Every structure is written in structure tokens, then in C-alpha cells.
């Protein structure tokens, strides 16, 4: 039998790679991992974690204003961006260190450096050639930006977390997760925000009622949302401002301090030597894998965003764990991704699990829709014109709840619990039989009575 330096060599120290490395090591494998930036990956360094910290920061603006309705006198509040960024950086450094220490604690050989494949069992890193029985590609993704004139003046989610100052006027391009999340963050922190999206409504793929509701709430908060519009060119002026030409149904021109592109992400596979090693990639450069994470080459595997499937941290973690168990555990395991809840940390946030109304109709033919739009109790005194939307999509025939959707305060926290019920196959009657928790917004999910039945072609 050939003897390799390692049984598993992981390229990429993000959520998926780190989980796979730690589990493989705990199962007794000799494991090494290489990361060319900082341990923790997109989620910890420039994704979920810093984003959520910035969402908290942004929300204080409304909290201070709302407090007045509850008898507080709040003196004019001031926000200082560098202080927030410094605090955020400290927390990120702490978490990144934790990731690295946990790997070291699990007896994984931890390396800093860009690794690439030399062949199906050999990796080059920091001038060394190392062999491994298995190689795991967990290099994540990177922002995609379309090539338009002046694109070099734009930033992406890679840079936005470390800007020296809060830009006063920002134009955000895209209508997906990152675009709407940063629209809420930057608007809350005091910037004047314009969101420019090429499609008919933000958040394509989400339930249509959710999309329309978030759009309304964003506009109420003062975000200018341009639909059916796209950026044609960006010019940098002598004073540092950016002049942005927007084309579409209503061509317009905008003077801003920053243009943030949030136009999707692509798998990070450039320069890894994958194609040369015979690994089949998809059109976007993602590693094509089976349900276990195996690529077309038996010794090479991939998990997480680099596989170009569901780009969510908890999914990468599941895939990493499953792969490690498949390679070094008693029997093959695939990640169960039947009901993946997801949140958009927009303002207000979205929580969603299961099928949208459109998806459910396509799959089941007839569905019962239950929904409610209401003002949270908090806003009876705050006076804020913000509404919450909740919606259940139910299969008319079996009465199984197929999807739960919410836009409103704490939606992600509420949907996580509902995801368990929906995964277990809860019916509308199960929801109805559950005693309400009063007073809460969440109780609306168990008190919905008015239904609208929709059938496929109607
Ligand atoms: P998304 O795929 O969510 O959205 C990309 C947006 O950019 C879409 O609105 C898309 O439009 C638009 N777009 C794509 N190409 C172009 C183009 N050439 N010109 C103009 N617009 C374009 O990507 P994000 O970058 O927002 O986020 C990447 C992924 O990261 C998400 O899909 C998600 O998986 C993950 N993520 C998850 C978060 C969470 O869980 N809260 C937070 C942030 C990211 P169209 O709809 O027309 O295609």
C-alpha cells in the first residue's frame, strides 16, 4: 500500500473544511489543512459574522428613535464607523484564532499558505510537496462582478467590511442576499442608499409575498430601490466621488461615494490545478460532486460553496462532517438537506423554510395559503410604520405545511424552530393544536384561520 504524508489534506480553512478536518482527525485520520487567508473563511472573516454585527449596529438608529414612544428622552446619538470596525475586527480575530486552536487541539497539521494540486494525491504548499490519500477542496467562493466600464471603482463584500469611513452616499448593485442586507446596514448607519436591481423584484427565488413586503419596508425606511435597472458605467471624478450611469426603463445618473457590487459569488477554483488533475468542473468553475462530496477523481472531494450548490455556512458544515464520516467512519453518510431554513438579515429580517407558494403549486398542484400582516406590539407605542408578514403554504390534499415564511423582527429566530416542525411533517392541524405564546409575533403562526386555496393554473 502506498504511504502518504496525510490521509486527508484539506485546502481551505472555512466552515466546511475546518469541520471536515476536525471530524476526520477525531476519527483517527492524519489530517493537514492549508488556508491562504485567515482561518474561519468567508462566514467568519467577511460574511455572516461581521455582517450580523453590523446589522446590530445599524438597528440602534431605530431603537433610539423608538425609545421615545416608551418615555425615554434620547439625546442626539452619534455613530463612529472606525470604532465599530475596530470592535468587529477584534471579534473576528478572536474567532479566527479559535478556529485555528481547535484544529491544533484536534491534532490537525495547520498550515498558512496557498495550496494547489500537482496530481490526484499531491499538493504543493509553501514550497513543499505533500501527498495525501484524500484531498478535500473547501475553498469557498469569491464575489462575481460583471465587467462594465469603471468596474474597478466598485467594491464588493470583500472590501465593505474594512472601509476606513462610512460612505455617505452608496449605490448597491444586485437584489440578492448581500444587496438587501447591506442596503439595510448602510441605511441604518446613516448613509443615503440606492439599490439598483436588474429584475422586477428583489430576492428572486424567495416567496413573492415576502419579496414585495421587504421591498415596501425598505422603501419606507428611505432606501431608494430601482427595479429593472442596471449600471451602465462608473466614472471617478477628481473630488473622489463616483458618477454612476444607470440604464433601464428610467435611465438615471447618481453621484455617490461608493458603489457596492453584490451580484453573486462564484466558486474559488482558479489556479488550484483541478481541471489538470482531471476533476470535472461545472460552467461556473464549481467542483461537481455526488451526494457524498466525491468528485470525478476518486481521491478528490469537495464541500461547501466551491461545489456551487447551496451557499450557506450550516450546509457546508453538514457536508464537511458527512464527508469526513464517509471517508473515515464506519459507513458513507450524505448531508440531509431536505429542509434548509435560511435567513436574510435585511431590515426587517426574513426567515424562511420549505417551499414558496410558487414552488409548492408547481409540485403539489393545489395549496392552501394562510397569511397575516400586522403591526408588532412594539410599534403601537413607538409609532413606527413597520409591518410583519407571516405566511404558511399548506398542501391542500395532505394538509402538510410545506413552507413557512416571515418578514419581521426576530424572523430568523422564529423560523429556526418552525423548521423542526416542518421537517417532521407537521400538518396545519398540528400548528392549530399548538397553544399560542402570548403576546408574541410568533403566535400568529398557530392562530391563522383564513385560508385562500390556489390551484396550479389559477
Ligand atoms: P445572490 O445570488 O443572492 O444575488 C445576486 C444578485 O445579483 C441577484 O439579484 C442577481 O440578479 C444579481 N446579478 C447577478 N449577476 C448580475 C449582473 N451581471 N448584473 C447585474 N446584476 C446581477 O448573491 P449574493 O452576492 O447576494 O450572495 C451570494 C450567496 O451568498 C447567496 O446566494 C447566499 O447563498 C449566500 N449568502 C447568504 C446569506 C445569509 O444566509 N443570510 C447572506 C449573504 C450571502 P438575478 O436575480 O436577476 O439573477
Amino acid at each position: 500500500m502506498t504511504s502518504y504524508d496525510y490521509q486527508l489534506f484539506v485546502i481551505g480553512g472555512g466552515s466546511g473544511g475546518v469541520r471536515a478536518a476536525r471530524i476526520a482527525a477525531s476519527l483517527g485520520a492524519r489530517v493537514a489543512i492549508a488556508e491562504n487567508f485567515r482561518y474561519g473563511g468567508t462566514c467568519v472573516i467577511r460574511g455572516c459574522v461581521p455582517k450580523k454585527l453590523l446589522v446590530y449596529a445599524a438597528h440602534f438608529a431605530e431603537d433610539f428613535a423608538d425609545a421615545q414612544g416608551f418615555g425615554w428622552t434620547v439625546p442626539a446619538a452619534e455613530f463612529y464607523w472606525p470604532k465599530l470596525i475596530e470592535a468587529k475586527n477584534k471579534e473576528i480575530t478572536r474567532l479566527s484564532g479559535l478556529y485555528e486552536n481547535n484544529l491544533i487541539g484536534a491534532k490537525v497539521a495547520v498550515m498558512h499558505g496557498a495550496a494547489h494540486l500537482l496530481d490526484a494525491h499531491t499538493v504543493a504548499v509553501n514550497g513543499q510537496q505533500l501527498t495525501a490519500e484524500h484531498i478535500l477542496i473547501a475553498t469557498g467562493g469569491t464575489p462575481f462582478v460583471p465587467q462594465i466600464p469603471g468596474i474597478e471603482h466598485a467594491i464588493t463584500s470583500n472590501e465593505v467590511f474594512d472601509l476606513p469611513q462610512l460612505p455617505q452616499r452608496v449605490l448597491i448593485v444586485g437584489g440578492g442576499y448581500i444587496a438587501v442586507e447591506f442596503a439595510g446596514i448602510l441605511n441604518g448607519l446613516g448613509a443615503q442608499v440606492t439599490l439598483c436591481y436588474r429584475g422586477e423584484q428583489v430576492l428572486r427565488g424567495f416567496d413573492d409575498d415576502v419579496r414585495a413586503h421587504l421591498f415596501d419596508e425598505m422603501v419606507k425606511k428611505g432606501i431608494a430601490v430601482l427595479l429593472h435597472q442596471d449600471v451602465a458605467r462608473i466614472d471617478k471624478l477628481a473630488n473622489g466621488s463616483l458618477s454612476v450611469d444607470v440604464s433601464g426603463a428610467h435611465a438615471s445618473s447618481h453621484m455617490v461615494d461608493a458603489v457596492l457590487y453584490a451580484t453573486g459569488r462564484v466558486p474559488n477554483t482558479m489556479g488550484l490545478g483541478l481541471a489538470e488533475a482531471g476533476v470535472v468542473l461545472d460552467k461556473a468553475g464549481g467542483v461537481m460532486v455526488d451526494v457524498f462530496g466525491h468528485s470525478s477523481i476518486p481521491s478528490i472531494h469537495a464541500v461547501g460553496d466551491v461545489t456551487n450548490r447551496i451557499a450557506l455556512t450550516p450546509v457546508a458544515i453538514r457536508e464537511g462532517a458527512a464527508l469526513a464520516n464517509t471517508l473515515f467512519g464506519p459507513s458513507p453518510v450524505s448531508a440531509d438537506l431536505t429542509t434548509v431554513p435560511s435567513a436574510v438579515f435585511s431590515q426587517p429580517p426574513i426567515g424562511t423554510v420549505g417551499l414558496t407558494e410558487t414552488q409548492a403549486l408547481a409540485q403539489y398542484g393545489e395549496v392552501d395559503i394562510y397569511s397575516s400582516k400586522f403591526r408588532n406590539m412594539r410599534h403601537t407605542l413607538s409609532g413606527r410604520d413597520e409591518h410583519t408578514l407571516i405566511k404558511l403554504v399548506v398542501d391542500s390534499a395532505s394538509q402538510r405545511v410545506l413552507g413557512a415564511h416571515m418578514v419581521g423582527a426576530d424572523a430568523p429566530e422564529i423560523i429556526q424552530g418552525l423548521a423542526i416542525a416542518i421537517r417532521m411533517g407537521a400538518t396545519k392541524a398540528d400548528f392549530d393544536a399548538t397553544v399560542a405564546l402570548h403576546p408574541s409575533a410568533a403566535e400568529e403562526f398557530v392562530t391563522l384561520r383564513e385560508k385562500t386555496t390556489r390551484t396550479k393554473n389559477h
Side-chain angles (χ1 to χ4, degrees):
M1 196 184 107
T2 324
S3 114
Y4 297 103
D5 296 320
Y6 297 100
Q7 285 168 283
L8 177 66
F9 195 102
V10 181
I11 305 182
S15 304
V18 167
R19 180 54 62 99
R22 285 180 61 189
I23 295 203
S26 75
L27 291 168
R30 287 191 323 281
V31 183
I33 185 167
E35 163 61 49
N36 67 355
F37 187 51
R38 296 174 71 187
Y39 276 89
T42 305
C43 177
V44 172
I45 310 298
R46 42 199 181 190
C48 332
V49 175
K51 178 271 309 287
K52 185 92 187 266
L53 295 174
L54 265 57
V55 168
Y56 284 129
H59 207 269
F60 280 106
E62 290 192 355
D63 295 337
F64 295 141
D66 291 354
Q68 295 174 39
F70 292 84
W72 292 89
T73 303
V74 183
E78 273 179 39
F79 170 69
Y80 189 51
W81 170 265
K83 191 166 178 185
L84 169 64
I85 297 308
E86 189 189 329
K88 178 269 291 178
N89 286 345
K90 207 168 146 196
E91 174 57 7
I92 298 309
T93 301
R94 184 186 76 81
L95 283 175
S96 181
L98 212 60
Y99 266 66
E100 211 170 320
N101 284 339
N102 286 340
L103 285 163
I104 294 166
K107 305 216 170 357
V108 173
V110 175
M111 303 174 191
H112 290 266
H116 65 271
L117 301 190
L118 295 177
D119 61 42
H121 289 284
T122 314
V123 167
V125 58
N126 298 335
Q128 271 187 302
Q129 289 190 13
L130 298 165
T131 58
E133 185 181 357
H134 297 281
I135 297 169
L136 173 60
I137 309 299
T139 46
T142 192
F144 158 78
V145 283
Q147 290 310 305
I148 55 126
I151 192 68
E152 65 277 11
H153 303 305
I155 56 169
T156 68
S157 57
N158 278 355
E159 292 81 33
V160 72
F161 289 109
D162 293 302
L163 294 175
Q165 297 296 333
L166 174 70
Q168 288 309 301
R169 302 161 299 174
V170 187
L171 187 130
I172 300 176
V173 189
Y177 281 84
I178 298 179
V180 300
E181 288 181 345
F182 268 94
I185 290 169
L186 297 169
N187 178 61
L189 294 178
Q192 187 188 315
V193 178
T194 303
L195 185 144
C196 174
Y197 175 50
R198 66 182 179 181
E200 64 182 344
Q201 185 53 283
V202 295
L203 291 178
R204 184 167 61 83
F206 283 73
D207 188 90
D208 287 342
D209 290 336
V210 165
R211 299 167 73 193
H213 191 85
L214 181 70
F215 171 86
D216 289 345
E217 293 298 329
M218 286 170 73
V219 170
K220 276 196 261 171
K221 288 182 195 300
I223 298 167
V225 185
L226 312 177
L227 299 175
H228 291 300
Q229 311 281 302
D230 210 351
V231 171
R233 64 176 297 125
I234 306 169
D235 290 292
K236 187 163 189 167
L237 308 186
N239 66 4
S241 295
L242 300 174
S243 165
V244 187
D245 289 347
V246 168
S247 62
H250 309 282
S252 56
S253 162
H254 303 259
M255 199 62 74
V256 295
D257 304 302
V259 179
L260 170 63
Y261 264 78
T263 41
R265 295 175 62 83
V266 286
N268 225 344
T269 47
M270 284 267 279
L272 286 178
L274 286 165
E276 295 82 346
V279 175
V280 176
L281 305 178
D282 69 13
K283 267 196 239 147
V287 182
M288 295 195 68
V289 290
D290 65 12
V291 291
F292 300 107
H294 303 319
S295 80
S296 54
I297 297 294
S299 61
I300 301 177
H301 319 279
V303 296
D305 293 5
V306 77
T307 63
N308 202 17
R309 295 175 296 173
I310 305 177
L312 295 175
T313 295
V315 170
I317 290 174
R318 284 289 167 116
E319 291 171 355
L323 194 264
N325 278 299
T326 297
L327 296 182
F328 305 107
S331 54
V333 200
S334 64
D336 177 355
L337 303 176
T338 40
T339 323
V340 178
S342 126
V344 183
F345 291 93
S346 45
Q347 307 215 6
I350 296 172
T352 172
V353 61
L355 303 183
T356 64
E357 181 178 328
T358 309
Q359 291 167 336
L361 270 176
Q363 284 184 39
Y364 290 83
E366 185 176 297
V367 293
D368 297 340
I369 301 298
Y370 297 84
S371 73
S372 167
K373 223 181 240 196
F374 56 93
R375 198 179 194 192
N376 274 25
M377 189 192 262
R378 172 186 166 115
H379 297 311
T380 56
L381 293 203
S382 78
R384 181 170 299 284
D385 179 21
E386 182 181 298
H387 287 78
T388 292
L389 169 78
I390 64 161
K391 176 169 176 178
L392 286 181
V393 180
V394 178
D395 172 22
S396 299
S398 68
Q399 284 301 296
R400 252 190 68 202
V401 179
L402 304 172
H405 309 275
M406 176 171 179
V407 189
D410 302 322
E413 308 291 339
I414 292 166
I415 289 292
Q416 176 69 84
L418 289 188
I420 303 172
I422 290 179
R423 191 175 176 282
M424 291 175 74
T427 60
K428 179 65 171 60
D430 291 320
F431 273 61
D432 294 345
T434 305
V435 176
L437 194 153
H438 187 70
S440 69
E443 71 180 306
E444 295 282 328
F445 274 114
V446 298
T447 56
L448 291 165
R449 296 291 176 260
E450 259 179 54
K451 83 171 174 194
T452 311
T453 300
R454 303 227 165 92
T455 44
K456 220 170 189 170
N457 307 309
H458 293 93

